[in-house]
Amino acid sequence: QVQLVESGGGLVQAGGSLRLSCAASGRTFSTYSMGWFRQPPGKEREFVASITWSGAVTSYGNSVKGRFTISGDSVKNTVNLQMNSLKPEDTAVYYCAARSWTDSSFGSWGQGTQVTVSS
């Protein structure tokens, strides 16, 4: 198991920016990738972005592509999410996640950090 702790959430006006951070501990030696998901109020959790440790390959959800940027440090076991041009529909609890080499999907999750975008 990998323990994940998110930080950086808060309240921001539409068009503004926020940077989220995630610190990983525990069995980080087996980590294949890390990523971000979000859950808007009353909706299902959705994919935001991910990054692989071995090749630094990134992926983004269609709704955030071009606005959000994911980055990571495999030595420090941290991952960041730079969010620009925020919209009210970006309001959600944002979760950090980790996927090990033995997992078929993300199996470790943080407790989440609230991001609220006002209009």
Side-chain angles (χ1 to χ4, degrees):
Q1 282 289 324
V2 176
Q3 290 75 52
L4 305 171
V5 180
E6 304 97 334
S7 62
L11 175 65
V12 65
Q13 290 185 322
S17 300
L18 281 176
R19 183 187 293 271
L20 304 182
S21 296
C22 176
S25 61
R27 296 183 180 180
T28 56
F29 60 87
S30 63
T31 300
Y32 168 71
S33 65
M34 296 183 70
W36 291 94
F37 292 74
R38 67 185 184 185
Q39 187 169 23
K43 299 182 179 180
E44 298 294 324
R45 186 177 297 179
E46 63 180 335
F47 172 76
V48 175
S50 67
I51 182 169
T52 60
W53 256 218
S54 60
V57 178
T58 59
S59 297
Y60 296 93
N62 290 333
S63 63
V64 305
K65 192 172 184 178
R67 299 188 297 122
F68 292 8
T69 303
I70 189 171
S71 61
D73 187 332
S74 60
V75 176
K76 295 184 177 181
N77 295 122
T78 59
V79 64
N80 304 115
L81 183 68
Q82 178 65 46
M83 306 185 294
N84 298 326
S85 301
L86 284 164
K87 305 175 181 179
E89 53 261 43
D90 294 319
T91 296
V93 177
Y94 283 70
Y95 296 91
C96 179
R99 178 181 178 181
S100 73
W101 288 97
T102 60
D103 291 337
S104 59
S105 62
F106 289 91
S108 299
W109 298 83
Q111 296 205 116
T113 184
Q114 177 70 49
V115 172
T116 302
V117 184
S118 64
S119 59

